[in-house]
Amino acid sequence: LPGRKVLIVYAHQEPKSLNGSLKTVAVEELRKQGCSVTVSDLYAMQFEPRATRNDIVGCLHNSEEFNYGVETWEAYKRGDLSSDVIEEQKKVQEADLLIFQFPLYWFSMPAIMKGWMDRVLVQGFAHEYPNCYDSGLLKNKLSLFSFTTGSSREMYAKGGINDDIRYLLWPMQHGIMHFCGVKVLAPHICFAPEYVSEEERKEMLIAWARRLKTLWQEEPIDCSPEWYFK
């Protein structure tokens, strides 16, 4: 909706991929609605996924023994995180909606996107005990995981060879987003695009565009174990 801000965190190496097309469809559809859309194209940015000493500018809080969590928390309070992290935190801070667009790797997100989570969502910025889950510091934001799979829908059904795909969403949606207070919209999953016809891939893009048209009317999922494991 006009004035709404969206950040798309996108992890795919090939712009012509289905993930690339899904990202482009989201940018076009949301801009058409009057939203302002920012894309963090992690591979194109050569985003650093590793959580290291380099994420802290200047002196360490404790130079005797390096503790990444403590050091980034202290650096956040001092304004001493590395510029690439600060840049991403600004985008998150401004966004009403975060869309994560990626291919599923080993039941999870690609390393470059996991590294984005590890480095950007630091204590003090995204959470600060007891301010986590419903009182996480990023409350009033929405998120949505949009991804492609290698296996078919049947293989990801309850009792299928991979079992229910919702199980995999628990660490991503609950352990990261909900932990930081972010509300979670139902995931958008394109099953096995490599094994379907060109026609069906076009259908997938049309379905995503259609969903985006009414996205702001959607209710977030119930953030409880029941949603994932019932």
Side-chain angles (χ1 to χ4, degrees):
L1 292 167
R4 297 264 170 102
K5 291 195 161 95
V6 182
L7 171 61
I8 301 176
V9 182
Y10 160 69
H12 200 287
Q13 310 85 338
E14 174 51 67
K16 296 198 285 279
S17 63
L18 185 72
N19 273 277
S21 302
L22 289 159
K23 180 260 300 168
T24 302
V25 162
V27 171
E28 289 170 356
E29 182 52 49
L30 291 163
R31 283 190 179 147
K32 223 184 279 174
Q33 297 175 19
C35 300
S36 76
V37 184
T38 305
V39 178
S40 286
D41 180 341
L42 300 180
Y43 286 104
M45 292 155 67
Q46 298 193 348
F47 186 80
E48 168 60 83
R50 294 169 300 181
T52 68
R53 160 74 181 87
N54 299 337
D55 294 348
I56 296 101
V57 177
C59 296
L60 291 177
H61 178 68
N62 174 4
S63 52
E64 296 303 299
E65 195 179 323
F66 184 73
N67 177 321
Y68 186 82
V70 170
E71 292 297 344
T72 49
W73 184 21
E74 292 296 334
Y76 175 74
K77 292 188 281 197
R78 299 194 307 265
D80 280 348
L81 286 170
S82 61
S83 57
D84 60 339
V85 173
I86 289 175
E87 190 57 36
E88 295 306 298
Q89 288 178 342
K90 265 195 205 116
K91 296 176 193 174
V92 171
Q93 198 66 67
E94 288 175 5
D96 299 299
L97 167 66
L98 309 168
I99 296 178
F100 298 96
Q101 181 65 59
F102 59 97
L104 198 67
Y105 280 8
W106 294 115
F107 278 27
S108 186
M109 58 185 87
I112 200 165
M113 183 175 279
K114 177 56 166 55
W116 185 95
M117 304 285 181
D118 292 349
R119 295 180 64 227
V120 175
L121 302 175
V122 305
Q123 186 165 357
F125 169 69
H127 57 91
E128 188 142 29
Y129 192 78
N131 294 320
C132 46
Y133 290 117
D134 291 340
S135 59
L137 302 179
L138 301 180
K139 55 184 183 293
N140 308 327
K141 296 185 188 301
L142 289 169
S143 62
L144 193 164
F145 287 85
S146 170
F147 59 94
T148 57
T149 68
S151 302
S152 67
R153 188 185 291 273
E154 295 66 50
M155 290 164 87
Y156 273 119
K158 222 188 226 2
I161 198 163
N162 298 328
D163 225 310
D164 194 335
I165 196 148
R166 288 188 175 197
Y167 300 163
L168 323 187
L169 293 163
W170 173 254
M172 297 191 264
Q173 294 186 164
H174 184 77
I176 304 176
M177 285 297 113
H178 184 204
F179 186 81
C180 296
V182 181
K183 292 184 178 62
V184 180
L185 296 172
H188 198 84
I189 309 168
C190 293
F191 288 97
E194 283 174 88
Y195 302 105
V196 302
S197 67
E198 197 46 53
E199 207 38 59
E200 286 169 281
R201 278 197 292 275
K202 284 206 183 90
E203 263 318 304
M204 288 174 172
L205 296 175
I206 291 165
W208 178 222
R210 191 182 308 128
R211 179 174 175 194
L212 288 161
K213 285 188 202 308
T214 57
L215 196 68
W216 301 104
Q217 286 134 51
E218 290 185 20
E219 282 299 313
I221 66 163
D222 156 37
C223 279
S224 69
E226 287 70 50
W227 188 89
Y228 298 90
F229 303 111
K230 63 173 180 283

